Amino acid sequence: MNSQAPIWIKRSAVEAIRNPKVRRYGRAASTSNSSVNSSSSSKGRSYSRSSKSFNDDCSESSAHTDALSSVSTGRGQQWDWISGILLEQSSEAVVVKLNKESSLLEMAPTAVQEGLVLFGNDFEKSSNGTIEPPSDLITLAHLHEPAVVHCLRHRYRSNIIYTSTGPVLIALNPFKRLHHLYSEPVMKKYWDKAEQNLKIELEPHVYQIADAAFRNMMRQLEDGERKNGDMSCVRANQAILVSGESGAGKTVTTKFVMKYLAALSQRAAMPRIKAKRAYKQVEEKKRVEEKKRLSRMMLTPSPVTEMKMEKARMIEFSANSIESKVLQSNPILESFGNARTIRNDNSSRFGKFIELQFTSCGTLVGASIETYLLEKVRLVTQSPGERLYHVFFELLGGMSEKDLRQYYLAATANPDDFAMMNSSGTYDRRDGVSDVETYKALRSAMNTMKFQPEEQHDIFSVTASLLHA
């Protein structure tokens, strides 16, 4: 069979063929060696169009090494697959051409069956000639490791960090802020599609996952109510699992999920606010009295004034809502449980299970957070390039001189003065986040979560006492 199909070739198989004296991994080495050592067959030899052996040409060998070195995982290791083109596949040989090389490579006829050669995918191209991988990897004709990595790489280079694989969302850490991806207009696109049954295709997004979980929960509640006739006995649970290696972006992704679910909760609560429910009667009474007062003064509020008054009430509602409190738990968890590591400046050094509780109407009424497996050894020692938990640096950098004296810390104290903090010699963050600003966020979150002043004092007393140890 002659063809011009895109393919991926196992790197170890290529190296074993071109350097048969060096044994590689299992089947690749045995296949290559058996074919190279065969005197009656040319299988396993690489050759140019003039049939010159690759191993006889040092310049070509050097070029090959450079080509291989150009493909890297970013951690000093070479990727295990090389792109190429399938030129011929028969019962006698599989002939391939590596991209960016003029020479051909002849492999054993079983290379495809053994998984040493995998078929690639043909993609549509944009107007400027660049390929456009699909947003859902399930649609790939050939789904395997090199195809997945190839698609993710091209999408990542275009600042498209989300890609679907059926119901699973793959998120790549962009290592930069992409504010345009998480604005309220973007959220609106996803809840409008669900609420208005819009027949539009949206790009994969973490909001899409959160929205699907919320809609499935509400659908189960509605189905249960129809069957049982009593909503009080109906339970509907949905789970979102956020997993990945250190630095993948699990913490930030979880915050985006919670933010979207909180927004949906507020949308569900808004009709009841307008309907003057009991818990808003006090505010509504004040509003009526204010209107009466203005009316007596013959000063009817303008539409602009009315809008400002309504916006102020909504801001007050939002600041004191359960949604706000749930979201404000994040700064507290990050200060006391996150630290800089080799690969991540805000790495969660613990696991957490967050449970959000909704009413049958879709409003958020409570939340619980369970933490486990805190990395306690970090309090004693940190590896080079890593540092202690954020809260210790926030305490020294964000507290006023008066507060520092209250905890028996000098105003001139710095991390290098404490044995607990100076074991690694690393004191800053590479992501540009200020410990002073995160300390302000921590105190604001504690106030929102109704930590009493005495409780906050006790917490920082224990934190400061550890520095004196």
Side-chain angles (χ1 to χ4, degrees):
M1 179 185 74
N2 295 319
S3 62
Q4 291 282 331
I7 56 171
W8 296 94
I9 307 105
K10 194 80 170 178
R11 181 182 299 276
S12 56
V14 174
E15 293 177 345
I17 292 174
R18 287 176 162 169
N19 191 4
K21 295 181 180 180
V22 179
R23 286 193 169 272
R24 300 287 175 180
Y25 310 100
R27 292 187 305 175
S30 61
T31 302
S32 303
N33 288 335
S34 62
S35 58
V36 168
N37 294 334
S38 173
S39 58
S40 59
S41 174
S42 62
K43 299 178 183 61
R45 280 189 298 108
S46 61
Y47 57 92
S48 64
R49 292 196 179 276
S50 60
S51 299
K52 181 175 61 176
S53 172
F54 183 93
N55 293 319
D56 293 338
D57 194 323
C58 296
S59 61
E60 286 189 36
S61 178
S62 176
H64 169 66
T65 302
D66 293 339
L68 294 182
S69 300
S70 65
V71 182
S72 172
T73 64
R75 298 179 190 169
Q77 299 175 351
Q78 292 177 338
W79 192 30
D80 204 27
W81 295 92
I82 307 172
S83 61
I85 299 175
L86 177 64
L87 299 178
E88 180 182 346
Q89 182 181 8
S90 66
S91 59
E92 297 183 355
V94 171
V95 181
V96 302
K97 176 183 177 295
L98 303 184
N99 287 343
K100 299 182 180 179
E101 291 192 27
S102 58
S103 60
L104 306 182
L105 188 70
E106 185 176 345
M107 304 180 71
T110 57
V112 175
Q113 290 80 355
E114 292 180 353
L116 304 179
V117 175
L118 300 177
F119 288 99
N121 296 276
D122 291 317
F123 300 110
E124 295 182 359
K125 291 188 176 182
S126 62
S127 57
N128 59 8
T130 59
I131 68 171
E132 293 184 338
S135 59
D136 192 341
L137 300 181
I138 290 296
T139 61
L140 290 176
H142 304 285
L143 183 60
H144 41 63
E145 177 193 343
V148 169
V149 175
H150 183 60
C151 290
L152 294 180
R153 176 186 294 169
H154 276 275
R155 290 174 64 81
Y156 185 83
R157 287 172 177 171
S158 302
N159 285 329
I160 305 175
I161 64 172
Y162 292 117
T163 306
S164 293
T165 305
V168 178
L169 179 70
I170 300 175
L172 302 181
N173 191 338
F175 293 102
K176 60 183 176 182
R177 299 188 183 278
L178 301 176
H179 297 290
H180 67 282
L181 281 182
Y182 307 105
S183 61
E184 186 170 343
V186 174
M187 286 196 287
K188 188 176 185 300
K189 289 181 182 179
Y190 289 90
W191 69 52
D192 279 351
K193 178 183 178 181
E195 294 172 0
Q196 301 176 22
N197 294 319
L198 301 179
K199 303 299 182 183
I200 57 175
E201 289 295 328
L202 297 176
E203 278 290 316
H205 201 288
V206 66
Y207 292 159
Q208 193 176 50
I209 298 294
D211 191 89
F214 182 83
R215 308 297 171 187
N216 288 339
M217 177 186 69
M218 298 304 298
R219 195 176 300 113
Q220 291 178 22
L221 288 171
E222 293 171 1
D223 293 344
E225 183 182 19
R226 282 196 297 267
K227 292 179 181 179
N228 302 319
D230 183 10
M231 180 66 76
S232 61
C233 62
V234 179
R235 296 290 182 271
N237 297 320
Q238 290 288 306
I240 299 176
L241 176 64
V242 182
S243 64
E245 61 181 357
S246 178
K250 299 183 294 296
T251 299
V252 175
T253 297
T254 302
K255 288 193 287 188
F256 287 138
V257 169
M258 294 173 64
K259 178 181 177 181
Y260 187 84
L261 292 175
L264 291 182
S265 171
Q266 287 193 329
R267 286 179 58 77
M270 285 179 66
R272 285 183 289 285
I273 296 171
K274 295 177 181 178
K276 306 179 184 66
R277 289 300 179 98
Y279 66 91
K280 295 295 291 180
Q281 286 180 359
V282 174
E283 293 179 17
E284 191 61 33
K285 183 178 179 180
K286 291 181 180 179
R287 179 183 180 185
V288 172
E289 291 175 352
E290 180 68 7
K291 278 190 174 182
K292 288 180 179 179
R293 187 183 69 82
L294 293 172
S295 178
R296 287 193 298 268
M297 297 174 60
M298 301 299 292
L299 294 174
T300 304
S302 67
V304 176
T305 303
E306 286 276 17
M307 290 176 61
K308 289 182 178 179
M309 292 169 61
E310 183 65 25
K311 184 176 181 180
R313 282 189 295 273
M314 289 303 298
I315 292 175
E316 181 183 358
F317 166 76
S318 177
N320 296 303
S321 66
I322 186 65
E323 292 89 352
S324 177
K325 293 178 181 178
V326 168
L327 295 177
Q328 283 297 312
S329 65
N330 285 313
I332 301 174
L333 291 174
E334 291 183 14
S335 289
F336 287 91
N338 288 25
R340 169 180 167 173
T341 63
I342 295 294
R343 301 173 61 186
N344 182 8
D345 276 24
N346 192 33
S347 177
S348 298
R349 309 316 299 160
F350 66 101
K352 58 179 174 283
F353 175 78
I354 303 174
E355 181 180 81
L356 304 181
Q357 299 150 357
F358 294 83
T359 67
S360 58
C361 299
T363 55
L364 186 63
V365 293
S368 64
I369 301 176
E370 296 183 20
T371 61
Y372 50 91
L373 297 178
L374 178 67
E375 187 185 34
K376 299 177 182 178
V377 70
R378 185 169 290 271
L379 291 170
V380 181
T381 182
Q382 304 92 42
S383 301
E386 303 192 356
R387 73 174 196 171
L388 191 57
Y389 291 106
H390 294 329
V391 67
F392 295 97
F393 297 89
E394 294 168 357
L395 186 147
L396 294 180
M399 274 192 173
S400 65
E401 183 176 338
K402 178 181 176 182
D403 289 339
L404 287 172
R405 284 200 305 267
Q406 186 179 5
Y407 300 109
Y408 303 98
L409 295 170
T412 57
N414 60 72
D416 195 43
D417 297 330
F418 302 96
M420 179 179 287
M421 303 177 70
N422 63 16
S423 62
S424 67
T426 301
Y427 309 119
D428 62 342
R429 291 180 60 163
R430 297 159 297 187
D431 55 5
V433 176
S434 168
D435 291 320
V436 176
E437 295 302 319
T438 53
Y439 174 75
K440 293 178 182 178
L442 170 62
R443 297 306 293 261
S444 175
M446 284 182 159
N447 293 330
T448 302
M449 297 293 288
K450 304 302 181 184
F451 279 70
Q452 297 302 314
E454 296 79 9
E455 292 178 308
Q456 296 188 37
H457 173 74
D458 292 343
I459 290 171
F460 288 113
S461 293
V462 173
T463 305
S465 66
L466 290 174
L467 293 178
H468 293 295

